[in-house]
Amino acid sequence: MADSAAATTARQTPVPAPVPAPAPGPALEPEPKADSAVVRDALGVGVAVGLSGFAFGVTSAGAGLSVLQTCALSLLVFTGASQFALVGALAAGGNPLTAAAGAFFLGVRNAFYGLRLSQLLRLPGPVRPLAAQWVIDETTAVALAQPTRRSARIGFTVTGLSLYLLWNLTTLAGALGAEALGDTTAWGLDAAGPAVFLALLAPMLRTTTERMVAGLAVVLALGFLPVLPAGVPVLVAALAAPAVLWLEGRRLAARRTGKTRRTGPAGLTGKTRRKGADR
């Protein structure tokens, strides 16, 4: 009797209709950034870094390069780290080929920047060879920090143009000034290049892995400096990156292996497995 009443009540109770899932809306687009703000940020980077060309001009002239050779490096190479590495090795009496090899390996990173920027900027074909000259650390950083393709193009262009012009002008001023000063070592200007390079590098070391690579590179360069020809320690220091990445890979693999052993192949803990065995 009670079961019959309960069944009748259940049949009379309306079953709520399932609530349909909300339809997926359109993907949120990044909020655009004012062109004036992009130009302001790009000019800030271009001017701040472009003034460092004076230090390169002084260092290059102190290494024995002429004003024409110094300016040609900034016009054609236009990557500060490689330029400083080249003239630094020459100043230390290194072989030109070894110095050029060290500068080349430092500049290889720009090729990887170009792969990313080509997808982001999507510049017309005829413009790309010209834009490739401006693919450096600073232009890449400014372009990647923008929320839209339009802002990225503006940031890349303004940073590249302002930095290229100012870097070459200050390079010329530094080379002429070094000739007027005479012996740059007497003024301590031979340390300007490494100081500027460290100032540019330090803000980029944001993760523990990056700091480990930089620290090991310094140890390798300074350790081999007394025993290897000038320019070669820079090449040896490049081994820091693969060494640290290999150690980091081993550490992550060991962590995953340890976690698997603790939980078991099916995701069961050791305690759960013991209970199953007891049954």
Side-chain angles (χ1 to χ4, degrees):
M1 192 81 176
D3 295 340
S4 174
T8 303
T9 304
R11 286 196 299 270
Q12 293 176 351
T13 303
V15 179
V19 179
L28 296 178
E29 296 183 357
E31 185 176 351
K33 188 175 182 180
D35 293 349
S36 58
V38 180
V39 171
R40 182 182 63 247
D41 295 342
L43 284 176
V45 174
V47 172
V49 180
L51 294 175
S52 304
F54 183 84
F56 170 72
V58 171
T59 305
S60 180
L65 276 71
S66 66
V67 175
L68 181 60
Q69 290 171 327
T70 299
C71 292
L73 279 175
S74 284
L75 286 168
L76 301 177
V77 179
F78 187 55
T79 172
S82 297
Q83 292 178 232
F84 277 119
L86 176 64
V87 299
L90 294 177
N95 184 284
L97 293 179
T98 305
F104 171 78
F105 281 112
L106 283 175
V108 165
R109 71 191 187 283
N110 294 334
F112 296 97
Y113 295 161
L115 295 176
R116 179 66 182 92
L117 289 178
S118 65
Q119 300 174 357
L120 174 64
L121 302 178
R122 294 186 181 178
L123 298 173
V127 179
R128 291 188 177 187
L130 300 176
Q133 178 69 358
W134 291 351
V135 176
I136 54 176
D137 297 329
E138 293 76 17
T139 55
T140 302
V142 172
L144 293 179
Q146 307 309 318
T148 62
R149 177 170 289 113
R150 173 184 171 83
S151 298
R153 286 180 172 180
I154 295 175
F156 176 84
T157 303
V158 174
T159 304
L161 180 61
S162 60
L163 181 51
Y164 188 77
L165 292 177
L166 193 55
W167 179 271
N168 281 281
L169 289 175
T170 54
T171 293
L172 175 61
L176 294 175
E179 283 195 345
L181 290 174
D183 185 11
T184 57
T185 58
W187 296 80
L189 296 179
D190 54 331
V196 172
F197 180 73
L198 291 176
L200 294 174
L201 177 64
M204 301 179 186
L205 305 178
R206 300 175 181 175
T207 65
T208 303
T209 302
E210 292 170 350
R211 296 188 186 99
M212 290 174 60
V213 171
L216 181 58
V218 170
V219 171
L220 290 175
L222 294 179
F224 285 98
L225 188 61
V227 297
L228 293 178
V232 178
V234 176
L235 301 178
V236 175
L239 299 175
V244 171
L245 291 177
W246 179 78
L247 292 174
E248 187 69 11
R250 290 289 301 272
R251 184 181 67 83
L252 293 176
R255 177 183 296 180
R256 287 194 296 267
T257 302
K259 185 177 180 180
T260 303
R261 288 176 179 174
R262 288 195 300 271
T263 60
L268 302 175
T269 62
K271 185 176 180 180
T272 304
R273 291 201 303 271
R274 286 196 299 273
K275 287 184 177 178
D278 295 338
R279 293 196 185 102

